[in-house]
Amino acid sequence: MTYCCGILVRDGLVLIADTRTNAGLDNIATFRKLHVFEKPGERVLMLATAGNLSVTQGVVNFLNEGFENPETGEIESAMTPQTMLQAAHLVGRAVRRSLQEASPSGEQASGVSFDVSLLLGGQIGGGAPRLFMIYTAGNAIECTPDTNYLQIGEHKYGKPILDRAVNYESDLYDALKIGLISMDSTIRSNLSVGLPIDIALLRRGDMKLEVSTRIDANDEYFRDLRESWSKALRAAHMAIPAPPYRGREP
């Protein structure tokens, strides 16, 4: 399992992903799930992945090395699309191609699931920053200002934070902070999600990443954020009056 979230605000995009993979209690490993395809001044694409590792790694390899478009016969890579919508369609084709190679029959084998989900965010040329979620079938939905975040993986623990605290007008670094709180809430509640965390921040119009780094257990800011959030929650629930229902008959 994993947890990744993407947040779209007026000033840009934030993507956050953990790195834990879990194939059983005694088979836990670390793999990068946030991948960047960047040509400064022209395009920045950020891809977060969840699901079957062989399929998602195949997608990343296709985007890096290129693969044939069955309709045109051209070799396409992450550097080919001229719009973010075209990039989302390209990732969808890469998912279908990788899935076909991982499971030629299109069926699960020995109980192994080949399902995947991906978040694709970025900006190409003069276009606006956009954020998409892409499914196993290769189809996609797009994030909007009304619902300005998308999640994949173990999303239920981090969703309430995003619902209450972030919107399209949020400051870009506030969005990053809220995303990290969402990640911390998930890590605390699910052992299949864990450090290190990869983060990427793209400011609208910059055409290069403003932040691209990894947070591990020694990161001072993240440790302080976790403790500050815990203290704030304790203070908030202590400040709310106790329920007045004692002794009341139904």
Side-chain angles (χ1 to χ4, degrees):
M1 188 55 73
T2 188
Y3 176 52
C4 310
C5 72
I7 305 172
L8 173 69
V9 296
R10 186 175 297 279
D11 290 337
L13 273 168
V14 171
L15 261 73
I16 304 173
D18 87 314
T19 56
R20 180 168 294 180
T21 64
N22 181 11
L25 293 176
D26 59 350
N27 189 10
I28 295 174
T30 297
F31 283 92
R32 176 175 290 275
K33 302 170 192 174
L34 179 56
H35 307 271
V36 175
F37 309 88
E38 183 178 16
K39 186 174 182 180
E42 179 185 298
R43 70 186 61 219
V44 178
L45 301 179
M46 300 170 284
L47 186 73
T49 64
N52 183 278
L53 193 60
S54 66
V55 177
T56 58
Q57 286 187 340
V59 171
V60 173
N61 288 335
F62 283 136
L63 295 177
N64 273 317
E65 299 177 9
F67 65 107
E68 184 178 344
N69 183 325
E71 296 181 358
T72 66
E74 297 178 353
I75 302 300
E76 299 178 325
S77 71
M79 296 296 113
T80 304
Q82 298 303 302
T83 68
M84 283 302 301
L85 181 59
Q86 291 178 8
H89 291 165
L90 174 67
V91 173
R93 291 195 294 273
V95 169
R96 291 191 293 270
R97 173 74 177 272
S98 183
L99 182 62
Q100 184 179 34
E101 293 192 358
S103 177
S105 67
E107 299 178 355
Q108 294 186 2
S110 302
V112 176
S113 172
F114 291 97
D115 287 343
V116 297
S117 54
L118 306 95
L119 297 179
L120 174 69
Q123 186 173 11
I124 297 176
R130 298 173 74 174
L131 176 63
F132 297 86
M133 181 188 296
I134 300 158
Y135 299 95
T136 304
N139 55 319
I141 62 171
E142 183 173 3
C143 191
T144 70
D146 291 327
T147 303
N148 73 308
Y149 69 86
L150 294 171
Q151 303 167 283
I152 55 176
E154 186 56 88
H155 63 271
K156 58 182 177 289
Y157 301 107
K159 187 177 188 299
I161 308 298
L162 299 173
D163 283 338
R164 289 177 179 271
V166 72
N167 60 63
Y168 186 67
E169 301 300 332
S170 297
D171 175 81
L172 190 55
Y173 280 86
D174 277 346
L176 175 57
K177 177 174 63 178
I178 294 162
L180 290 174
I181 293 172
S182 173
M183 177 64 75
D184 175 56
S185 298
T186 305
I187 290 173
R188 284 179 178 270
S189 298
N190 193 303
L191 293 176
S192 68
V193 178
L195 295 165
I197 302 165
D198 291 319
I199 62 175
L201 183 148
L202 173 65
R203 188 173 296 277
R204 178 186 289 266
D206 275 6
M207 305 307 299
K208 62 179 181 179
L209 288 179
E210 186 167 311
V211 174
S212 179
T213 191
R214 172 166 287 189
I215 295 171
D216 59 24
N218 297 317
D219 187 273
E220 183 177 356
Y221 174 80
F222 191 66
R223 290 202 311 268
D224 289 346
L225 177 142
R226 304 183 84 171
E227 183 59 28
S228 296
W229 180 244
S230 294
K231 289 180 179 178
L233 286 177
R234 288 192 293 268
H237 88 74
M238 291 299 294
I240 298 172
Y245 309 123
R246 184 177 303 171
R248 184 177 296 181
E249 294 293 335

